[in-house]
Amino acid sequence: MKTDSLLYTSLNNELKSHAIGVNTAELHGFLSGILAGGNHDESWRVLVDDMMNDGKPMANSLSKLITELYHQAKQQLNNDDFEFQLFIRDDELFAQIDDLVGWINHFLLGLGLAQPQLAKVKGDIGEAIYDLRQITQLGYDEDDDQEELAFALEEILEYVRMTVILCHDEFTERDQSTTIH
């Protein structure tokens, strides 16, 4: 499933017009990190305002778009059909790679805010988080074979997508199991 480029562009333009220092992919990564970290209450709004807008509430028009993006990600993550998708551009290859790096960095930020003890997580989740950090360090050269890069990007996107679902399942189950007595 490809990203809706019209929605991506309109949200990106809205973010720019309100001088918010992230793009759509980074915002989606941040929201996805919060959700994957097990945070499903309304505190996500405060985190977005704090991290993206110096603690000030977002403009109403932008807030509505961000809320839509949040609910879309939440619905996809809660769906048992693994339909969650990263919201990145679907056009030029190098733009996609840049979006992916920004998405992962902001995902890790959101995940860390939702799971403050993230550095202590071991096992498959700990390894996957380590892998995400390593992916953000990967570089490319514009002279690299575009076909090979495109193939590698698809593989990495799928790995990241499954890591997000794995984190969501792990942290959501853990949070729910601690409240049931």
Side-chain angles (χ1 to χ4, degrees):
M1 179 168 100
K2 288 290 188 182
T3 297
D4 177 342
S5 29
L6 183 60
L7 178 58
Y8 182 99
T9 303
S10 61
L11 184 50
N12 227 28
N13 290 339
E14 194 73 21
L15 288 165
K16 283 180 189 171
S17 74
H18 291 285
I20 306 300
V22 297
N23 67 27
T24 303
E26 293 164 335
L27 175 62
H28 187 262
F30 183 72
L31 294 172
S32 299
I34 292 169
L35 287 164
N39 182 319
H40 294 271
D41 62 23
E42 288 299 305
S43 66
W44 70 270
R45 294 177 190 279
V46 174
L47 293 173
V48 169
D49 290 343
D50 283 350
M51 300 307 293
M52 309 289 162
N53 201 29
D54 296 325
K56 296 178 280 215
M58 295 285 180
N60 196 32
S61 59
L62 182 56
S63 181
K64 286 180 183 178
L65 288 171
I66 292 171
T67 299
E68 283 179 40
L69 192 62
Y70 172 85
H71 286 296
Q72 177 187 10
K74 186 175 182 177
Q75 177 192 6
Q76 288 179 352
L77 282 167
N78 287 328
N79 186 312
D80 292 333
D81 294 333
F82 302 107
E83 69 179 39
F84 178 79
Q85 296 294 323
L86 281 67
F87 204 66
I88 64 172
R89 285 176 273 199
D90 64 355
D91 53 4
E92 201 268 321
L93 179 64
F94 297 115
Q96 288 181 350
I97 294 169
D98 292 342
D99 267 6
L100 175 63
V101 170
W103 193 100
I104 293 171
N105 279 323
H106 284 78
F107 171 78
L108 291 170
L109 175 61
L111 187 64
L113 289 170
Q115 289 292 326
Q117 300 299 315
L118 192 60
K120 297 178 181 175
V121 174
K122 303 290 182 217
D124 291 342
I125 299 289
E127 288 178 32
I129 291 165
Y130 174 81
D131 290 345
L132 292 182
R133 288 186 179 115
Q134 295 305 304
I135 290 169
T136 64
Q137 304 303 312
L138 296 176
Y140 62 86
D141 188 324
E142 299 211 5
D143 296 331
D144 288 343
D145 183 311
Q146 298 247 342
E147 198 172 304
E148 286 180 26
L149 273 177
F151 180 75
L153 176 64
E154 288 301 316
E155 298 264 314
I156 292 170
L157 283 170
E158 184 60 17
Y159 181 80
V160 172
R161 189 178 81 80
M162 293 310 296
T163 298
V164 172
I165 292 168
L166 181 69
C167 287
H168 179 263
D169 290 349
E170 173 73 16
F171 294 127
T172 299
E173 288 175 3
R174 181 180 303 152
D175 288 350
Q176 289 173 349
S177 67
T178 58
T179 57
I180 298 172
H181 295 282

